[in-house]
Amino acid sequence: MKKILVIGSTNTDFVLKVGAIPQVGETVMSRSFQQLPGGKGANQAYACGMLGGRVTFLSAIGEDGLGGVVMENMRRAHVETRYIRTTNEDSTGMAVICVDETGNNSIVVVPGANLYCDCGYLMDHRDAIDMCDILLVQLEVPVEGIFSAVEYAHKRGKTVILNPAPCPDSIPDDVLQNVDYITPNETELQKLTGCRMDCPEGVREGAETLLRRGAGQVIVTLGSKGAMFCNDSKTEHFPAWQVPVADTTAAGDTFNGAIAVALAEGKGIEEAIRFANAASSLAVSRKGAQTSVPSRAEVDKFMNDRGGI
Ligand code: ATP
Ligand code: RIB
């Protein structure tokens, strides 16, 4: 099996269950509060481990004990954490997450120590990139470092997966040219391309815009509608599995981790997307970020029980 390297953020998630997400100027009462391991990078690395991948994680945490709790969770999923940077300059990243009755959320991230997952740190650990086959990154840590790691990995023939979340105003074409798979959700695709997302044609036009600008292949995640795949020769829609929704936090992270694991196992991209839809549909039916990520056995059983899609 191929080796996966995930680079990205580590956060402690402060999860507030609310009746409805507060409007501007509004105060609402929370129905429950939980402190849980999160961060887009950590969630994706954890998902890779839980789904059976061989995975190493590069990230930065504070010397405050909070990051250590997340790393303990990583190790329970057999994620290699030996290169994690610890800094006393700032505290471990935090995210305040409001989850409403329908399972939708809004998130504010305090990056903290994630700012130390920078270019210098990543280039000091370029041997970890040398040792991997697949690099999976998001943009919740300084983007200059991520873009350098992507360039370094691409030059060495690694498969690069970029999940553009949170989404910057733009991503330079020369970065897209180093990316094999870019995996925006609809909001991110809209921000990156300006295309309309209220019809399949608009989504397709957005994906084609990213292809023209240099991305190798595009997978757009569509929430309850599943995912759309687009490359130079075809566009295909993969419907989501119908599940009761508890909390959509880390749906995208689970999806990206699952894509990386499936590619590491040598699956084709269509099979990888079906697997990722199944893994992330299980994640939305549970609460929290890492707490919602299913095991490989659970995903295999789910797909088996439902007889494929
Ligand atoms: P998040 O930011 O909430 O982690 P995201 O916006 O990055 O997620 P989405 O497109 O919302 O990503 O979801 C990723 C995948 O999760 C989808 O492609 C789909 O497979 C699955 N998914 C999301 N919402 C649902 C749902 N309501 N029912 C079934 N599957 C879902
Ligand atoms: O994608 C979900 C994650 O986004 C949460 O775990 C939170 O930490 C934010 O980074």
Side-chain angles (χ1 to χ4, degrees):
M1 177 171 350
K2 291 181 177 169
K3 291 186 199 153
I4 302 166
L5 174 67
V6 178
I7 302 175
S9 56
T10 297
N11 292 333
T12 302
D13 288 352
F14 298 99
V15 184
L16 308 170
K17 186 89 186 157
V18 292
I21 310 269
Q23 303 295 305
V24 173
E26 188 185 14
T27 301
V28 299
M29 304 299 276
S30 169
R31 296 171 180 186
S32 70
F33 166 79
Q34 277 184 299
Q35 188 173 323
L36 296 170
K40 291 187 192 303
N43 296 343
Q44 295 188 13
Y46 183 80
C48 289
M50 287 294 284
L51 295 169
R54 290 174 67 190
V55 55
T56 298
F57 184 37
L58 294 184
S59 191
I61 59 175
E63 287 179 1
D64 48 18
L66 292 171
V69 171
V70 186
M71 289 311 137
E72 256 173 55
N73 205 44
M74 296 282 117
R75 288 190 280 273
R76 277 197 282 273
H78 308 289
V79 177
E80 174 58 76
T81 60
R82 84 171 78 163
Y83 304 113
I84 298 295
R85 180 176 190 180
T86 305
T87 176
N88 59 12
E89 299 287 329
D90 214 329
S91 45
T92 297
M94 290 182 286
V96 177
I97 305 181
C98 285
V99 181
D100 72 14
E101 271 180 343
T102 65
N104 287 317
N105 63 42
S106 70
I107 304 180
V108 178
V109 173
V110 183
N114 287 308
L115 297 177
Y116 291 81
C117 183
D118 55 14
C119 207
Y121 159 67
L122 295 177
M123 287 304 112
D124 282 351
H125 292 89
R126 54 188 179 273
D127 52 330
I129 305 178
D130 291 331
M131 284 186 294
C132 82
D133 303 290
I134 296 174
L135 175 65
L136 171 59
V137 293
Q138 338 68 36
L139 301 174
E140 209 170 49
V141 296
V143 297
E144 302 75 22
I146 293 293
F147 293 166
S148 298
V150 161
E151 180 182 3
Y152 183 90
H154 177 73
K155 283 193 174 143
R156 280 152 191 81
K158 314 299 181 184
T159 298
V160 176
I161 307 171
L162 169 62
N163 175 221
C167 192
D169 289 335
S170 66
I171 297 178
D173 290 3
D174 58 351
V175 172
L176 292 176
Q177 285 153 18
N178 293 329
V179 171
D180 296 283
Y181 298 94
I182 185 165
T183 59
N185 65 17
E186 291 164 289
T187 313
E188 292 149 1
L189 185 61
Q190 205 276 332
K191 193 168 178 188
L192 290 174
T193 66
C195 292
R196 291 173 51 182
M197 293 293 125
D198 55 2
C199 59
E201 294 71 29
V203 177
R204 182 178 175 153
E205 194 190 327
E208 285 171 352
T209 303
L210 293 181
L211 291 178
R212 269 197 307 280
R213 290 179 48 204
Q217 321 204 41
V218 182
I219 305 169
V220 187
T221 61
L222 306 167
S224 60
K225 298 190 294 296
M228 180 188 275
F229 172 70
C230 193
N231 69 7
D232 284 338
S233 50
K234 72 171 187 177
T235 299
E236 190 171 350
H237 176 243
F238 295 83
W241 306 73
Q242 296 297 309
V243 290
V245 177
D247 176 356
T248 62
T249 309
D253 297 333
T254 305
F255 186 96
N256 278 278
I259 290 284
V261 169
L263 294 177
E265 290 174 351
K267 290 185 168 59
I269 191 63
E270 288 87 356
E271 200 182 342
I273 295 172
R274 283 188 199 98
F275 177 69
N277 269 340
S280 49
S281 71
L282 279 169
V284 302
S285 67
R286 300 166 181 183
K287 292 181 187 164
Q290 286 161 43
T291 46
S292 73
V293 175
S295 69
R296 178 55 175 267
E298 287 172 320
V299 180
D300 288 345
K301 181 175 184 313
F302 178 84
M303 294 183 79
N304 202 35
D305 288 351
R306 300 232 179 170
I309 202 166

